[in-house]
Amino acid sequence: PLPAPQLMNIAVAFATLSGNTSVVANYLAEHLRQQCHQVDSIDLAGAIADTLKCYDLVFLGGSTYGDGDLNPISEMFFQAAQRIGHNCGQTRFAIFSLGDSLYPNFSKSGEISAELLKEMDAVIIGEIHRIDGYPDENTLAGAAEWADNILKIV
């Protein structure tokens, strides 16, 4: 018989302005709960970076703002983490990023988030999952498939 899958304590943390990132985050959280993982949804607007260290894995999502920047909520979260000298303590993160491929810096916020997390001693798992445009059935299914692949390599 195959070994039982390892159930994890997972956070799906997100920064949303228009609500699109929260749609993806909530979908991922429910998808992971259906696999019997313990999953908390965390809105970065009210989150403290140190709370993320207690999770086995953090799925972190945000949207790209302006010309390839972090959205203001992500920016405030990372600034607050840097002010307190936050260290991720080898916490594992998988990053998803929303954007519009019509812009030259499509989904750049994911790359910025990854670099900031690495500076705080985080471990980035897998590739950044980039979502183009508004979330729909296809993009949500793609996000779930990406999450499943992340779980296979954790």
Side-chain angles (χ1 to χ4, degrees):
L2 294 173
Q6 179 187 358
L7 299 181
M8 291 189 280
N9 187 21
I10 298 172
V12 180
F14 61 93
T16 191
L17 292 173
S18 65
N20 291 326
T21 307
S22 67
V23 168
V24 176
N26 290 332
Y27 186 88
L28 285 174
E30 185 55 34
H31 176 75
L32 295 164
R33 283 184 194 110
Q34 289 174 359
Q35 298 175 39
C36 298
H37 295 287
Q38 169 60 44
V39 182
D40 292 329
S41 293
I42 300 173
D43 187 338
L44 292 183
I48 298 169
D50 278 349
T51 62
L52 298 179
K53 288 199 297 193
C54 67
Y55 293 94
D56 299 319
L57 175 63
V58 178
F59 286 91
L60 180 74
S63 56
T64 303
Y65 187 74
D67 190 27
D69 299 316
L70 290 174
N71 75 40
I73 295 167
S74 293
E75 194 169 315
M76 287 186 289
F77 173 80
F78 282 115
Q79 286 173 351
Q82 290 168 333
R83 266 196 308 278
I84 64 168
H86 174 72
N87 183 295
C88 292
Q90 296 290 299
T91 303
R92 297 175 295 183
F93 286 83
I95 298 170
F96 63 98
S97 178
L98 283 74
D100 187 329
S101 61
L102 294 175
Y103 291 91
N105 289 318
F106 166 61
S107 193
K108 183 80 172 171
S109 66
E111 296 168 40
I112 296 168
S113 295
E115 288 308 312
L116 292 170
L117 287 166
K118 287 177 192 173
E119 289 172 13
M120 292 185 272
D121 202 29
V123 176
I124 307 302
I125 304 293
E127 297 292 319
I128 297 168
H129 184 64
R130 300 170 194 281
I131 297 170
D132 190 5
Y134 298 101
D136 60 21
E137 283 184 31
N138 290 332
T139 56
L140 293 173
E145 183 179 331
W146 165 76
D148 290 344
N149 289 330
I150 293 294
L151 292 176
K152 290 175 188 172
I153 60 174
V154 170

